[in-house]
Amino acid sequence: MGSKKNFEFGGPLGAFSMVTGLPIAVLLLNLACNKTSCSIFHFPSLPTVDEFFSVDALVLFISWFGFQLLLSMIPVGSVAKGLPLKSGHCLEYRCNGFSALVLSVIVFGVLVLFNVRVGFVHDKFLALATSAILFSFALSIFLYVKSFTVSEIELADGGNTGVSVYDFFIGRELNPRIGPVDLKFFCELRPGLIGWVILDLCFISEAYRIYGQPALPLVLVVASHVLYVADALWHEEAILTTMDIVHDGFGYMLAFGDLAWVPFIYCLQARFLLEHPQPWTYYWTSAIAILNVIGFFIFRASNSQKNNFRTNRKVASTSEVKTLATASGRQLLISGWWGLSRHPNYMGDIIMAFSWSLFTGFQHIIPYFYSFFLLGLLVHRSLRDDASCRRRYGSDWERYCKIVPYRIFPYIY
């Protein structure tokens, strides 16, 4: 019997639209922004069958997924416990994502050292994106079928409505596992995020082959992406308290987002700069780089403050940390970055995103897609979080919102 139908994302119709529309968006964006043009007003020419799909690309993607799966099982790094489940049990997670990133980059470096032309990934980019989409569908179908083999207590509240297309999209099972591997935790930060870095590095390698050396904007964009991913993996344990892990089931929404959307949309700025080098001055590139550093500082400082508050009782009990007591027994942080807005980490994330797009110039809007997408995503996520907290804390949340009235940007929103 399904849970109470509390639909998000436009309900079943919205879920169906995203299941069918998101893959089309990935392919159209990457077709529209190509080596000859990058315009929403220029309808892209249709690719050949070999450009659209190849067995080589599919094998490469599956091999990459398998390689990351093996790295995730290496017994290095810490073992962290997640938040208590409905059963009261806490799952354990092996946090060795940063080691997986380092090993992946080392393997990439060895391939370059032995003159393997890693830039062929650029040639097969569209076919690799198609492979990621097909793999995401296959994984989502597997997850949906698997969810009917577990008890109801293991299902996500939001993904157990009884409406098939919606549950397929949201995800029925909260923490699907195969042996020691938690599939949601693994996919959240491994194949897609590290794959994004490797795609970027392939573009750098291809720039050396084509131009003799990569242009400074491309180098800075890739360096910014690498820093962002490395930071996420260094603080991998922090995602155990996020909405994706705690609240959402693992279905098409996260599987497609992690494996297809993230690597093949988030690298758009780097691929654009490979195919359309921008002749920026050092002053302009330095100004954008400083903006990126500011965004990263806000992002990291606010996330660190939140994580310390959640995990370190000594920090939470000091007089310097101001909190709001709730009837549930939990404390809401209302000082430091979290006294400025309810999601200061989102503010830093958005500033970084727009700084990366600024490196691509002002003549094309498609390289800004990621920035506007992230803005919409985080605004929507802040609304979801607000609705969830309002249900959880009731009148205490109303008091909190009066103390911290801004959602993301102080004095703006």
Side-chain angles (χ1 to χ4, degrees), residues 50-263:
D50 289 339
E51 290 173 331
F52 181 72
F53 174 79
S54 74
V55 175
D56 291 346
L58 182 61
V59 170
L60 178 59
F61 184 85
I62 294 174
S63 299
W64 169 254
F65 187 90
F67 175 60
Q68 291 303 315
L69 199 59
L70 289 175
L71 292 182
S72 74
M73 291 186 279
I74 297 176
V76 298
S78 62
V79 175
K81 285 190 175 183
L83 296 180
L85 303 173
K86 295 176 187 176
S87 63
H89 177 62
C90 294
L91 296 176
E92 292 187 341
Y93 300 85
R94 169 72 65 181
C95 298
N96 62 1
F98 188 80
S99 298
L101 171 65
V102 171
L103 288 172
S104 299
V105 172
I106 289 173
V107 170
F108 176 87
V110 170
L111 292 175
V112 172
L113 187 64
F114 282 89
N115 296 316
V116 175
R117 192 192 156 225
V118 294
F120 83 95
V121 167
H122 179 239
D123 302 333
K124 294 283 186 179
F125 186 83
L126 189 64
L128 283 168
T130 302
S131 299
I133 291 168
L134 293 175
F135 188 89
S136 299
F137 267 106
L139 177 60
S140 301
I141 292 169
F142 167 77
L143 292 167
Y144 184 72
V145 172
K146 180 183 178 302
S147 70
F148 289 95
T149 67
V150 302
S151 63
E152 188 160 341
I153 199 173
E154 297 179 62
L155 301 181
D157 291 335
N160 185 26
T161 66
V163 181
S164 298
V165 66
Y166 183 81
D167 293 346
F168 173 79
F169 173 73
I170 292 292
R172 294 187 80 244
E173 189 175 356
L174 184 62
N175 304 108
R177 292 192 163 206
I178 298 179
V181 179
D182 186 292
L183 292 173
K184 182 167 66 170
F185 179 74
F186 166 71
C187 289
E188 188 81 5
L189 292 180
R190 306 303 184 90
L193 275 186
I194 299 177
W196 173 20
V197 167
I198 298 301
L199 284 172
D200 275 7
L201 294 179
C202 287
F203 299 152
I204 289 282
S205 175
E206 192 69 351
Y208 271 108
R209 187 185 71 85
I210 297 172
Y211 308 115
Q213 66 177 19
L216 182 59
L218 174 58
V219 172
L220 290 175
V221 162
V222 171
S224 300
H225 291 173
V226 172
L227 174 63
Y228 185 80
V229 173
D231 175 77
L233 293 169
W234 183 262
H235 299 95
E236 185 177 19
E237 186 177 333
I239 73 164
L240 296 178
T241 60
T242 62
M243 181 177 289
D244 288 355
I245 298 296
V246 175
H247 177 267
D248 295 331
F250 191 37
Y252 179 87
M253 178 178 72
L254 291 180
F256 179 85
D258 293 339
L259 302 179
W261 188 268
V262 166

Side-chain angles (χ1 to χ4, degrees), residues 256-272:
F256 179 85
D258 293 339
L259 302 179
W261 188 268
V262 166
F264 294 97
I265 291 295
Y266 288 18
C267 73
L268 188 57
Q269 298 132 339
R271 186 168 66 82
F272 172 84

Side-chain angles (χ1 to χ4, degrees), residues 5-23:
K5 295 180 176 61
N6 183 25
F7 293 125
E8 299 180 285
F9 299 98
L13 181 60
F16 177 78
S17 299
M18 282 184 272
V19 168
T20 55
L22 289 176

Side-chain angles (χ1 to χ4, degrees), residues 388-399:
S388 175
C389 290
R390 202 174 297 277
R391 290 192 298 269
R392 183 186 309 165
Y393 299 116
S395 60
D396 290 327
W397 187 252
E398 300 293 341
R399 289 196 298 133

